[in-house]
Structure formats: structure tokens, C-alpha cells
Amino acid sequence: MLTKDFYFDLPDELIAQKPSGIRGEDRLMLLDRKTGAVSHWQMSDLPSLIPENALMVFNNSKVRRSRLYGIKESTGHETEFLFLESRDCDGCCWKTMVKNAKKQRPGYTYTFPDGSVGTILENAEDTGTEFRTLAFESPRTEDWFEKNGHIPLPPYIKREDTEEDSERYQNIYAQEVGSAACPTAGLHFTEHMLTELKQRGVERVWITLHVGLGTFLPVRAECIEDHKMHEELYTVTPEAAERINAAKRAGRPVIAVGTTSIRTLESAWSAESGVRAGTRRTSIFMYPGFTFHAADMLFTNFHTPESTLLMLVSAFAGYEHIMSAYRTAVQERYRFFSYGDAMFIR
């Protein structure tokens, strides 16, 4: 298939620039993955739409304040870095994505808000890319990111991050720090809703996938089959694997909350043993024709045109069903992307 097959016209005013006034007060589209039928609800209706014997899988990765600005020593100009992951075990050397990467070369140094200095190292993997390896004399701790970094809002949010984003661009159940973007399907869930789901007998488990380039880099290839996904790190605990596999054996529906959860489930799937426990890297790319094994239903947001996430939901619910549902969402003035409304595919 061609990347352009996943284009749809989206008015700018439907791209949510801020979260809803109160967490969880968003609209919800229900999509039948068999028939393509859609109906319109509110997030508060979600517990009534979920089978009482279901198991829901949540990604508990926490967003790092990973956008930092350094002053380039040679020019005095401000340079923006997105810190993706540590390249060594002690946290002194980091893989970053940097703006105007062609102008940021090995040996250049940058001073960050606390006075610490990072130096670009020579790395063959970075050649011809927007990535640079940045080294410091001492480890960059989570406390350092908290004090010096910014919330890494996606580029379609046309404003600087605020204190409100520190809370709202983070899931209430987030625990494991490491994501460079929020697994945003979870933003709709409140403590009240989690309690309500529990009272209805809906089971939940936590997995971890740290969101990186595999999730949010655009598709630049003309044919989607030529797109190469970047690796992301995920963990499934033995307890989570056991409970997911028990649900599958019992014929209970497994609901992935977010595309990162379904990527983790399908990456960890083995035909012999079901979902495997462990920490691994995945570059799984799901597009129409992919066969799903672990997840039966999917709760997600509305995704960007021509993105790997739109291709994933098209694989799960059917290309025609998804594109028709998205046209309906535009007509009905749903809010799109990270801070937007939600879709439940069952």
C-alpha cells in the first residue's frame, strides 16, 4: 500500500492544542471492527461498553522532561535537543534528536541551563540523520531532567509547554520513567473511572513500552512496506504475562489501552507460549494484512494522517472501516491527536 492511501483532510481547528477542561471529559467514538458501524458516546460511558469479564492492558511508562535547550558555544545560539535514551550504562552519553542536525557536528559543545556542558561525539550511526550522540562528564539523572527539561509536546501542538502540561501530558498511573512522548490513550482515564472498572469486575494489568521514535517518526517512504521502524524498549512482567495468557485461555477479551500496549502485546506474542515475559526491543510495524493474536479490542486516540499509528488501527479494524470512521469524526467535529477525543474499537 502507498503512504498516501492513509491521508485524510483534517482542518487545523480540530487538532487539540490543549487538554479538555477536566480530565476524562472527552468524546468517545465506538467502532465495530466487524461491520464498521460507529456510534457516539462520552468517556464516562466507557465502563458500560466494556465486557465485565475483560482484561485491560495499560502502558505505565512515564514521560521524561526530555526536551532541553543548550547554548552552542561556537555561536551563542540556542539549540533544541530531544533526549531519547542513554547510550551507556552510567547515563553520561545520550542518543538525542536535534534540530538543524546538519549544523551540529562532532566536537561542538552546548551549555545547558544548570551550566553543565554536553559535547557531540563521533558516531557512525548518526551520519546523515537527525540524531546526535551527546556526552557529559557526569550522569544525567532524572532529577536533572526534572529541573532543566521541558515536557516534550508533539510538534502539532503549536505552543510552549506549561505547568498544566506537567500534569495533563502524563497518565495518572504512569510509573516507569523513559518515554519521549506520552502514550496518550491513557490520558482519558481518571481514578474514578479505574475504580468504576474495578467494581464492574474488569481486570487490569500493566506493561511498559517507552515511547520513542518507533511511535512518532513520520513515514517518509512512498510504499509503507519500505518504512523501517525504530526500536523501542518494552517490558512484560511474569505476573502480567501470566494474567494475560490466563485470560486468553479462558476466552476472555483482552483490551489494549493505546497503540503502545498493542505493540507490546503483539511483540511479546509467541505461538507456542502466548505472551512472553521479559524486557526486549521491538521494531514491529503493523499495517493492513497483519494478523493480531493477543489483543481483541483496542482503546485509542485519533491519529495523524499517513502515520504508522493510523496504519496500525487500520490493520486492527480494517482500512475501509477506519478511513470511513475518520471521515465521520471530522464531520462530527471530534478533537484529534494527543489531547483530543477517543475511539474504542471492539
Side-chain angles (χ1 to χ4, degrees):
M1 298 183 73
L2 299 179
T3 300
K4 67 181 182 181
D5 293 334
F6 295 87
Y7 176 80
F8 63 94
D9 189 29
L10 180 66
D12 287 344
E13 64 268 21
L14 297 186
I15 301 174
Q17 296 297 308
K18 293 182 178 180
S20 56
I22 299 176
R23 187 189 290 265
E25 292 192 353
D26 302 297
R27 298 171 69 190
L28 173 66
M29 176 184 285
L30 178 65
L31 172 63
D32 187 317
R33 64 185 293 206
K34 293 182 180 179
T35 67
V38 300
S39 54
H40 308 288
W41 305 76
Q42 296 295 317
M43 267 304 298
S44 57
D45 298 313
L46 180 66
S48 67
L49 300 175
I50 292 178
E52 292 183 3
N53 65 338
L55 180 144
M56 299 183 74
V57 182
F58 293 82
N59 180 7
N60 67 359
S61 181
K62 190 173 184 177
V63 180
R64 175 181 285 128
R65 298 180 72 94
S66 55
R67 176 167 284 122
L68 288 99
Y69 297 88
I71 302 301
K72 191 173 183 180
E73 181 181 11
S74 60
T75 65
H77 293 159
E78 186 177 76
T79 303
E80 179 183 329
F81 292 87
L82 182 66
F83 283 65
L84 297 170
E85 61 180 17
S86 176
R87 284 196 180 273
D88 56 18
C89 59
D90 60 9
C92 291
C93 190
W94 285 78
K95 178 179 181 179
T96 69
M97 184 188 300
V98 57
K99 281 199 171 181
N100 299 316
K102 291 182 179 180
K103 298 181 179 180
Q104 321 307 330
R105 300 173 182 173
Y108 286 8
T109 58
Y110 306 80
T111 302
F112 289 87
D114 67 336
S116 59
V117 177
T119 303
I120 292 182
L121 300 184
E122 185 82 47
N123 188 322
E125 295 181 10
D126 299 337
T127 303
T129 72
E130 59 265 48
F131 309 122
R132 294 294 181 267
T133 300
L134 199 62
F136 297 83
E137 290 187 356
S138 59
R140 301 299 91 188
T141 64
E142 293 306 330
D143 183 61
W144 183 77
F145 285 106
E146 281 295 316
K147 291 179 179 178
N148 295 280
H150 293 260
I151 298 296
L153 295 177
Y156 47 73
I157 294 181
K158 306 296 184 182
R159 60 177 177 80
E160 296 298 317
D161 63 305
T162 66
E163 279 306 306
E164 181 185 29
D165 296 307
S166 299
E167 175 196 1
R168 295 299 300 274
Y169 195 68
Q170 198 79 266
N171 293 319
I172 61 169
Y173 49 77
Q175 292 289 331
E176 306 296 332
V177 180
S179 279
C182 183
T184 53
L187 294 179
H188 302 280
F189 288 83
T190 64
E191 290 290 355
H192 175 76
M193 177 167 288
L194 293 177
T195 299
E196 188 176 356
L197 288 166
K198 184 177 181 180
Q199 291 173 343
R200 288 176 56 84
V202 176
E203 186 181 2
R204 62 176 180 261
V205 298
W206 315 103
I207 52 85
T208 305
L209 182 141
H210 291 312
V211 181
L213 299 176
T215 295
F216 62 78
L217 265 193
V219 178
R220 298 189 175 100
E222 182 178 356
C223 297
I224 63 174
E225 294 86 354
D226 296 331
H227 176 69
K228 303 299 181 185
M229 297 283 284
H230 287 263
E231 289 187 340
E232 294 171 312
L233 186 70
Y234 74 87
T235 298
V236 179
T237 66
E239 178 190 2
E242 181 180 347
R243 290 168 62 189
I244 295 165
N245 290 329
K248 296 298 292 182
R249 288 193 298 270
R252 295 163 53 205
V254 172
I255 302 173
V257 178
T259 55
T260 58
S261 291
I262 201 169
R263 292 186 70 227
T264 300
L265 288 172
E266 300 301 330
S267 297
W269 179 263
S270 163
E272 294 76 26
S273 56
V275 172
R276 300 168 296 163
T279 297
R280 302 178 181 87
R281 290 184 173 274
T282 180
S283 57
I284 192 170
F285 181 21
M286 291 176 273
Y287 52 86
F290 183 89
T291 301
F292 292 84
H293 299 96
D296 303 295
M297 303 179 187
L298 174 62
F299 178 88
T300 186
N301 281 7
F302 289 94
H303 304 295
T304 55
E306 300 183 341
S307 65
T308 61
L309 302 182
L310 181 57
M311 295 167 191
L312 185 159
V313 296
S314 295
F316 189 77
Y319 171 79
E320 295 294 343
H321 291 344
I322 284 293
M323 299 307 288
S324 175
Y326 270 55
R327 288 191 292 270
T328 299
V330 171
Q331 292 169 3
E332 296 292 329
R333 310 294 290 176
Y334 276 74
R335 300 168 73 240
F336 277 70
F337 309 160
S338 295
Y339 276 147
D341 295 315
M343 172 184 280
F344 181 33
I345 305 171
R346 70 175 190 185

